Amino acid sequence: MLARPDAYRCIECGLPYRATGFWHHGGQLEHGAAYWSDRGILCSPQCSLAHHRKRAAEGTLRQEPAPDPFEFQPLMRR
């Protein structure tokens, strides 16, 4: 089988989602990334802290938690 390219990468360092060293919620790939922001996923506590410091310097920190990018949200029909 051909390996499929990873659509998700750490927004700080570019590490692919399935790469060794990427932190996953509960240590399991199927549970999604352990860290994320409204701008994308982060691979580790180090990248999470770097992203936080960068956003603080920019003045763009969010006031509420970002939604989980791996949660499925069904479309609402009227």
Side-chain angles (χ1 to χ4, degrees):
M1 285 181 92
L2 297 174
R4 69 177 192 195
D6 242 323
Y8 296 105
R9 293 184 170 275
C10 177
I11 59 174
E12 282 297 312
C13 71
L15 185 67
Y17 178 67
R18 289 177 172 75
T20 302
F22 203 105
W23 290 46
H24 301 98
H25 185 69
Q28 296 183 357
L29 177 74
E30 302 80 30
H31 292 178
Y35 302 94
W36 66 87
S37 80
D38 58 320
R39 294 184 179 174
I41 60 174
L42 299 149
C43 70
S44 65
Q46 294 81 11
C47 280
S48 177
L49 290 171
H51 185 68
H52 179 80
R53 285 192 288 273
K54 183 190 302 183
R55 297 280 299 265
E58 292 173 349
T60 60
L61 287 174
R62 287 180 54 103
Q63 298 303 310
E64 67 278 342
D68 185 343
F70 290 92
E71 270 186 19
F72 174 74
Q73 295 178 355
L75 297 173
M76 296 182 66
R77 293 181 185 221
R78 292 180 186 236

